Amino acid sequence: MKIHLASVFVEDQSRALRFYTDVLGFVKKHDVPVGEDRWLTVVSPEDPDGPELLLEPSGHPAARPYMTALVQDGIPAISFSVADVPAEYDRLRELGVRFTQEPLEMDAITTAVLDDTCGNLVQIMHGG
């Protein structure tokens, strides 16, 4: 068994697509109209046939309280692996990304947490 699809609720799918592609560097895989929303997924350019991330519209009644609670408690909604957290932190800061946690080393793991501008905190990490 392997992961095929994971999702993250987003406040605005178009803004999320721009952030996750233009800023984070993912590539669009699927963009299919579904009523007023879209089936919108992105993938890593390093693994275009690998796991997809669904940028899920946050219209479900449970989504907003869930997203708000995670952000208030500083809990990332999703985590991405990067080769070098400090270098990625610097690259993203240059692009205007706001971090809620600067790079932090914990034994063999380094993490940082950023705001995706769409209602979520996102962790980047290396190691483990």
Side-chain angles (χ1 to χ4, degrees), residues 13-123:
Q13 287 184 298
S14 294
R15 188 171 70 234
L17 180 61
R18 284 189 304 275
F19 185 83
Y20 281 78
T21 57
D22 296 346
V23 177
L24 295 184
F26 292 101
V27 294
K28 181 171 61 174
K29 175 92 177 203
H30 296 288
D31 189 351
V32 179
V34 181
E36 294 181 14
D37 296 314
R38 298 146 66 183
W39 179 263
L40 182 59
T41 67
V42 296
V43 293
S44 169
E46 298 168 19
D47 192 6
D49 294 320
E52 297 176 43
L53 177 64
L54 174 63
L55 302 176
E56 180 85 35
S58 61
H60 187 281
R64 173 58 39 213
Y66 169 77
M67 294 168 69
T68 300
L70 289 180
V71 170
Q72 286 177 346
D73 289 345
I75 300 171
I78 196 153
S79 181
F80 300 125
S81 176
V82 298
D84 183 332
V85 172
E88 193 66 10
Y89 171 83
D90 290 342
R91 181 187 79 80
L92 293 171
R93 290 271 314 219
E94 290 281 322
L95 294 172
V97 173
R98 184 179 75 82
F99 279 79
T100 61
Q101 177 202 301
E102 295 181 0
L104 175 64
E105 291 184 32
M106 299 169 285
D107 293 323
I109 297 173
T110 303
T111 65
V113 178
L114 60 97
D115 180 341
D116 78 351
T117 74
C118 303
N120 302 290
L121 298 179
V122 173
Q123 180 182 64

